[in-house]
Amino acid sequence: MQGVSLRRITKEADVNLASIHYHFGSKENLFRRVLERRIEPLNAERLELLGTVESGSAKGVLSLEAVLEAFLAPAVRLRYNRSGAGVLFSALMGQIFQNPDSEIRALAAQLFREVYLRFLSALGNALPGLTEEERRWRFHLMVGTAAFTLSAPGGLIGDGGSLADGGMFVDGNPLPDDPDEALSRLVSFLTAGMRSRGPSQGEGA
Amino acid sequence: MQGVSLRRITKEADVNLASIHYHFGSKENLFRRVLERRIEPLNAERLELLGTVESGSAKGVLSLEAVLEAFLAPAVRLRYNRSGAGVLFSALMGQIFQNPDSEIRALAAQLFREVYLRFLSALGNALPGLTEEERRWRFHLMVGTAAFTLSAPGGLIGDGGSLADGGMFVDGNPLPDDPDEALSRLVSFLTAGMRSRGPSQGEGA
DNA sequence: GACTGATTGAAACGTTCGTATGATTCAAGC
DNA sequence: GCTTGAATCATACGAACGTTTCAATCAGTC
């Protein structure tokens, strides 16, 4: 709720300051509506893709790649495609996940709840060997990887302050220009991680 | 630089408001010093562990697990151990990575620059088959996974607004209570991802 | 015990914030 | 063409912000 003022928003939108309270009631309500407007289509697309994966396969186990792709592809496409709003929205989501204000996180979490449960269940089908705790943990790791990668402000935007420019990723943008390439890299990295033998059973090459 | 006021800081620290400007000059300078105080020991510990890994192995390839552990262990320990400051600092770092203010990100990136380069080079030894671009990309994914996991405000702190409580991770805290368990899970997930066959060469079980 | 330089104190500065108010503009119905 | 309800406008309010100011306090030194 901080970081941008209503005065800047209304100026950029070329509307009067008071109109926000007339139409939305409060800054918080405006924020909630912005979130819903972007997240709901994202959720719908994810569920539709997952449905296709589930109905396409026999009643047996699901393909892990396909499930992860159903989860990741809409987010990657959103990040790359929608005019320039996708970049901004992805950055916004990254900030929300890290926001110390628990009410803001709760609001976002609520909007993702149904999709989360559906994919967690699908992951159970795709990875039948895992305990539920391990499955949740790995899903969390997967979400974190995708969220950080897609939302890092310095990723796509070379604005001089990215990790790329400032020192961490010295030689440029870690996100590929091509969304399909970004997606397939994410999927291959994450399927390997999701299938890893786990911490307790020993590890090796 | 926003999210907490100097008035709240000075009240919590039980000092006078003006003393910050006397000792630090500005809010921004105080912020920089706070970052340095935490990051510099973290950097030193990471480099020391990496040095041990490098000198311990023959001149051949490094163990990927060992390199990742040298990178991750200090951050995990920081998150879990240091009184309660580790949780707060980890949350702060998560916010910094996602901050739209490029100067703040540049400041943090600069503090991590040397460590980044050393580990990127070490990863080249541990994973000799990768192109440099692919190596950078996977390192980015690794940092993202660790940063998101360790810093998510709702992870360790059950404050009612975490993903866990609000809907995403419905049944509780995704971070284990035991730092060693968190570390070994991170390492096994990430080594598998780092070693994945990659997007172009095809994929499968 | 007065002097000095460093530190801390209370108070105020000018801005900016979200919100509220009441007049004004505008399109639609008759 | 007047009425009516929705929408927009300029403006103001009180609170909170980072910063500044300058007097009060403190620890050493002679």
Side-chain angles (χ1 to χ4, degrees):
Chain A
M1 293 302 305
Q2 52 193 199
V4 64
S5 66
L6 287 182
R7 282 171 173 81
R8 189 175 159 197
I9 292 174
T10 53
K11 187 173 187 179
E12 205 114 354
D14 207 34
V15 300
N16 190 269
L17 173 61
S19 63
I20 284 195
H21 287 89
Y22 180 80
H23 288 284
F24 295 95
S26 69
K27 188 185 187 185
E28 182 176 344
N29 231 299
L30 168 66
F31 182 70
R32 186 194 319 269
R33 298 284 290 274
V34 168
L35 245 49
E36 287 172 354
R37 185 161 79 107
R38 297 291 177 191
I39 291 180
E40 278 166 7
L42 182 66
N43 283 341
E45 196 182 351
R46 279 175 162 162
L47 291 179
E48 187 194 329
L49 288 176
L50 180 59
T52 305
V53 170
E54 286 174 332
S55 66
S57 84
K59 57 180 153 249
V61 300
L62 298 174
S63 154
L64 178 61
E65 280 85 359
V67 172
L68 288 192
E69 198 168 315
F71 187 80
L72 296 170
V76 172
R77 273 198 288 269
L78 174 62
R79 161 71 200 242
Y80 277 88
N81 279 355
R82 285 230 245 275
S83 60
V87 177
L88 298 175
F89 178 72
S90 302
L92 176 63
M93 289 310 301
Q95 290 182 63
I96 288 175
F97 283 132
Q98 303 292 344
N99 202 292
D101 182 344
S102 61
E103 290 191 30
I104 289 184
R105 296 200 312 279
L107 167 62
Q110 177 190 333
L111 292 174
F112 281 121
R113 178 180 163 81
E114 182 195 351
V115 168
Y116 167 71
L117 291 175
R118 289 274 287 109
F119 273 88
L120 189 62
S121 153
L123 281 179
N125 271 30
L127 288 167
L130 296 182
T131 66
E132 194 186 322
E133 186 203 358
E134 188 69 28
R135 198 182 350 140
R136 274 210 310 276
W137 163 260
R138 295 193 188 191
F139 193 20
H140 180 232
L141 289 176
M142 187 200 76
V143 171
T145 307
F148 186 91
T149 302
L150 293 176
S151 69
L156 201 61
I157 319 169
D159 59 357
S162 69
L163 290 179
D165 300 318
M168 197 90 177
F169 297 100
V170 187
D171 299 320
N173 170 13
L175 263 183
D177 291 334
D178 179 17
D180 292 335
E181 189 181 341
L183 176 61
S184 64
R185 282 182 169 179
L186 261 176
V187 169
S188 73
F189 184 93
L190 289 172
T191 52
M194 296 294 278
R195 266 200 267 263
S196 73
R197 248 174 290 169
S200 41
Q201 298 97 313
E203 52 213 10
Chain B
M1 292 303 302
Q2 55 195 194
V4 65
S5 66
L6 287 182
R7 282 172 173 82
R8 189 175 158 195
I9 292 173
T10 52
K11 189 172 185 179
E12 206 115 353
D14 207 33
V15 300
N16 191 270
L17 174 60
S19 62
I20 284 195
H21 287 90
Y22 180 78
H23 287 285
F24 296 95
S26 68
K27 188 185 187 184
E28 181 175 347
N29 231 300
L30 168 65
F31 181 71
R32 186 194 321 269
R33 297 285 291 275
V34 168
L35 244 49
E36 287 171 354
R37 185 162 78 108
R38 297 290 177 188
I39 291 180
E40 278 165 7
L42 182 67
N43 282 342
E45 196 181 349
R46 279 175 163 163
L47 291 179
E48 188 195 327
L49 288 177
L50 180 59
T52 306
V53 170
E54 287 173 332
S55 66
S57 83
K59 57 180 153 256
V61 301
L62 297 173
S63 154
L64 178 61
E65 280 86 359
V67 173
L68 290 192
E69 198 167 317
F71 186 80
L72 296 170
V76 172
R77 272 198 288 270
L78 174 62
R79 161 74 199 241
Y80 277 88
N81 279 354
R82 285 228 245 276
S83 59
V87 177
L88 298 176
F89 178 73
S90 302
L92 176 63
M93 289 310 302
Q95 291 179 248
I96 288 174
F97 283 132
Q98 303 293 343
N99 203 292
D101 182 344
S102 61
E103 290 191 30
I104 289 185
R105 296 200 311 278
L107 167 61
Q110 176 189 333
L111 293 173
F112 282 120
R113 178 180 163 81
E114 182 194 352
V115 168
Y116 167 72
L117 291 175
R118 289 275 285 109
F119 272 88
L120 189 62
S121 152
L123 280 179
N125 271 29
L127 288 168
L130 297 181
T131 67
E132 194 186 324
E133 187 205 359
E134 186 69 27
R135 196 179 355 136
R136 274 210 313 275
W137 163 259
R138 295 193 187 191
F139 193 20
H140 180 233
L141 289 177
M142 188 200 75
V143 171
T145 307
F148 186 91
T149 302
L150 293 175
S151 68
L156 201 62
I157 319 169
D159 58 359
S162 69
L163 291 181
D165 300 318
M168 199 88 178
F169 297 100
V170 187
D171 300 319
N173 171 12
L175 264 183
D177 292 334
D178 178 18
D180 291 335
E181 189 182 341
L183 176 62
S184 65
R185 283 183 168 178
L186 261 177
V187 169
S188 73
F189 184 94
L190 289 172
T191 51
M194 296 293 277
R195 266 199 268 263
S196 72
R197 249 173 289 170
S200 41
Q201 298 97 315
E203 51 213 14

